[in-house]
Structures are given as C-alpha cells and as structure tokens.
Amino acid sequence: MSTPLARTRCRARAHPLAVDATLAAGVLACMLAGSFVDPHAENGATWITRTPNALSLTLMVLGAAALVFRRRTPMTVLAATGTVSLVELVVGDPRAPVAMSAVVALFTVASATDRHTAWRVGLLMMTVLTAAAMLAGPLPWYAQENLGIFAWTGMAAAAGDAVRSRRAFVDAIRERAERAERTREEEARRRVAEERLRIARDLHDVVAHHIALVNVQAGVAAHVMDKRPDQAKEALAHVREASRSALNELRATVGLLRQTGDPEAPTEPAPGLGRLDELADTFRNAGLPVEVARAEHDAGLPAAVDLAAYRVIQEALTNVQKHAGPEAKAEVSVVRVGPNVEVTVLDNGPGQDDGPEEGGGHGLLGMRERVTALGGSCTAGPRYGGGFRVHAILPVKNLTPARGAAV
C-alpha cells in the first residue's frame, strides 16, 4: 500500500518541470523576503527597514526564472544565475540576496556531474563571487555578507557532490541486486536443463535396453511359433518379463518428477552393479552370450557411480544386441583401479563397427555425458581385428558411498 509521501515522489518524478518551477517560486520568495531585512540596523537585523530597488528586483526575478530550467541545462543556468549575482554584488546598494539563486544552481551542477567538474566549477564560482563582493562591492571586504557568500557556495558544491555520491551508491546496490537476481534465474534454468538431460538419459537407457530385448524375443517367438511352440512360449515369457521391468524402471524414473507428498511415490532404489548378474541374464535369455568379470570389494560405491556404471554396461550391451550381429559375444569387466572404477564392455561382432555411430542415436553420447558429469571419462570405438569396445573410468574418491553397493 503506497503512502502519501511515496505518491508525492512519484508525481514529482513524473513532472520535473513543475517541481523546478515550484522551487524557483520558493527561492524568489526567500530572496524577496531577505531583501527587506537590514542586517546592520542599530538594534540588529530588522524587518522592513529597507526596500530593494528596481534593478535588484529585476535580478531576483531573472535568477529565479533561470532555476526553472536547472535540470535541462544546469551549466547554462549556473552561468546565468552567477552573472545576475555578480551584477548585484557589484552595484546593489542596499544589496539583495540574489546569490541564493546561484547557490541552488551550483548545487544542481554538483549533483548532476562528476566530482572533478563539480569542484572545479564550485571553486571558480566561490572565487569569482567572493572576490567581486570583497573588491568591488559597496560593503567593506571583511563584511559578514562577503564571507557568507564564500561559505554558502562551498556548502552548495559539497552538498551536491554528496547527493551525487549517494545516488551512485544506491544505483550500484540496485544494479548488484538485479544482477544477483539474474544470476539466480540463470542458475535455476541451468539446473532445470541439467535435470531434464539426466532424466532423458535415464529414459533412453531404460527404453533402449528393454525394447531391444522385447524386439529380439518377439522375433524369436514369431519365427518358432508354428514348429516349436514351447520355445515360442518361453520367448514370450521373456518378452513379458522385459516389458514389466521396463515399466517398473520407467515408473521409478518418472516418479522423480513428483512433488513431495504426492501419492504412490517410488520407493524402489535405483539400479546398480548389485543387479549386474540380473542384467546379464536378460541378455543371455535374448540369445547374447555375456561373460561378467568383477572384483568384489568390501567398500561400497557412491550411489551416482553405481548407477552410472550400471547404465554404461546396460547401454553398451544393448548396442551389442542391436548392432553386433547374431553370432556376437560380449565380455563385461568391472575392476577397481586405485581411486577409480573401470568398466569395460567388449564384443567380437562385425556388425557393431559402424552401427551405433551411423544410427544417429544418443546412446554413446548419453554414456559420455553421464560419465563426464561425475568427473570421469568414457571412450567407445571399434577394436583392432573386429568388434567394439566401450571403456569408462569413474572416479570414486570424495564421493558419498551408496549403502550396500559393491563392485
């Protein structure tokens, strides 16, 4: 809810010329009032003991009128008010406070320009007006009015510079706050993009693996349906098992998008190397011989490394199943080498030399991104003499171990 002061400030910013006209009228009223006061009366400063002459009235009106345009052309207004003040200081008798308009104009210049310009112009104005009042004015050089001109012009320059510094400080704080807000928004967008990429990789790994198995087993069932119904029934059972596993993993992956408190949130842990034998059996049932070599360690793997190793093996074996040909064999090895876990998947099929790269899929790219995100490296390419090799190095050091996971 806006306050009356806030509404007044908004209207003032919307109509700066009206504000300056009001200020000019106020300065003119003060100069007129001051011109009727005699500071040297016998009983001290006395009201309405003198009357300004026509020249002084004219100079006061001109000085006040110039202040209306002080924001548009501050230097020009300062020159105009300084000129009328100089004339009044030299010829005014009795002297009228025309210099008040020059003080306001000097404040405006100091607040609207840089510090070097403000002090240079301020010193020039102080010197010229004070020297003129002391050397050419009707009053003695040591009169208080002459010293007052020096003091008021100096305070105007200092006050204007202080206002400019405060405005620059507030603008800098506002700019830093806006930049920090933009940075937070960009960080939020980056995190969202990374999360979308991670989920896309998980979905690709799950779908590519299980659909490839379903496709192979469905082809076997269709081929032997008439001659060997028992084998066809076994193949269809594998299709059912693979599809059920795919649905479970898809439900667990998509469930990550649920909000806290949503019903049916997934509680099944993410797959890891503890299910490596189960993964190998699914490919063996699909007709791909898979040999697994792994070294058991007491220390558990971090959850992210455990999942990444499993997904790399899953994607690599899926590519073997799809591209390496019907006579291919695969070898999987998982070993701990110092602070790293090295995962290697080899096959001897001639069909994989060109398949994955030419297919335009995202499997190899997803493997590399998944491993690189953990600070590791992943290479994939044809083997000398035929076949294909996928090799991933996953760092384990400085990560939180997953409970119950083992290599």
Side-chain angles (χ1 to χ4, degrees), residues 378-399:
C378 180
T379 58
R383 298 171 59 194
Y384 179 76
F388 205 78
R389 177 179 182 267
V390 175
H391 182 67
I393 301 176
L394 296 165
V396 179
K397 189 177 180 181
N398 298 329
L399 295 176

Side-chain angles (χ1 to χ4, degrees), residues 53 57 61 128 151 158 173 180 215 224 232 241 268 272 299 312 333 350:
N53 55 37
L57 290 174
V61 172
V128 171
I173 292 178
N215 180 63
V224 301
E241 181 181 355
E268 181 180 358
V312 168
S333 67

Side-chain angles (χ1 to χ4, degrees), residues 21-291:
T22 304
L23 175 64
V27 171
L28 178 59
C30 292
M31 289 190 295
L32 290 173
S35 64
F36 287 94
V37 177
D38 184 6
H40 302 288
E42 294 181 359
N43 298 324
T46 307
W47 174 254
I48 314 182
T49 57
R50 66 175 184 173
T51 303
N53 55 37
L55 178 60
S56 296
L57 290 174
T58 303
L59 294 176
M60 285 187 285
V61 172
L62 291 177
L67 294 179
V68 177
F69 308 99
R70 66 186 186 97
R71 299 195 203 191
R72 295 186 177 181
T73 55
M75 285 294 187
T76 303
V77 171
L78 179 61
T81 55
T83 300
V84 297
S85 299
L86 183 62
V87 173
E88 174 63 22
L89 291 174
V90 173
V91 303
D93 189 18
R95 184 183 294 173
V98 180
M100 186 181 297
S101 61
V103 170
V104 175
L106 181 58
F107 169 84
T108 303
V109 170
S111 64
T113 58
D114 58 278
R115 175 166 296 174
H116 177 72
T117 302
W119 283 110
R120 184 178 58 186
V121 174
L123 287 174
L124 178 62
M125 183 65 65
M126 291 164 59
T127 303
V128 171
L129 294 183
T130 305
M134 289 182 173
L135 301 178
L139 299 176
W141 67 270
Y142 53 83
Q144 293 182 358
E145 289 86 339
N146 298 336
L147 298 178
I149 292 172
F150 180 84
W152 280 106
T153 51
M155 286 189 295
D161 182 69
V163 169
R164 180 198 56 78
S165 299
R166 182 183 181 280
R167 187 185 300 125
F169 177 72
V170 172
D171 291 341
I173 292 178
R174 184 181 295 110
E175 193 275 334
R176 284 197 297 269
E178 293 175 354
R179 185 169 61 248
E181 184 66 24
R182 289 194 300 268
T183 302
R184 284 194 294 269
E185 292 176 356
E186 292 172 358
E187 178 67 15
R189 287 194 294 267
R190 185 186 65 81
R191 290 181 179 274
V192 169
E194 290 180 353
E195 184 66 12
R196 291 177 60 186
L197 181 60
R198 186 189 65 79
I199 294 174
R201 284 198 299 262
D202 285 341
L203 290 176
H204 173 272
D205 293 344
V206 171
V207 172
H209 164 61
H210 291 289
I211 296 303
L213 296 181
V214 168
N215 180 63
V216 172
Q217 295 293 346
V220 171
H223 182 69
V224 301
M225 180 67 71
D226 296 331
K227 297 181 180 179
R228 287 176 285 179
D230 293 339
Q231 187 175 352
K233 184 181 297 185
E234 181 181 356
L236 291 176
H238 290 315
V239 168
R240 182 179 180 182
E241 181 181 355
S243 61
R244 182 172 60 251
S245 298
L247 289 175
N248 291 336
E249 291 198 32
L250 284 174
R251 186 180 297 110
T253 302
V254 176
L256 296 175
L257 302 176
R258 293 179 182 271
Q259 299 293 329
T260 303
D262 285 350
E264 300 182 1
T267 58
E268 181 180 358
L273 293 177
R275 296 174 54 183
L276 181 56
D277 293 333
E278 178 183 345
L279 176 66
D281 287 339
T282 61
F283 285 98
R284 295 188 186 108
N285 294 332
L288 174 65
V290 179
E291 295 183 4

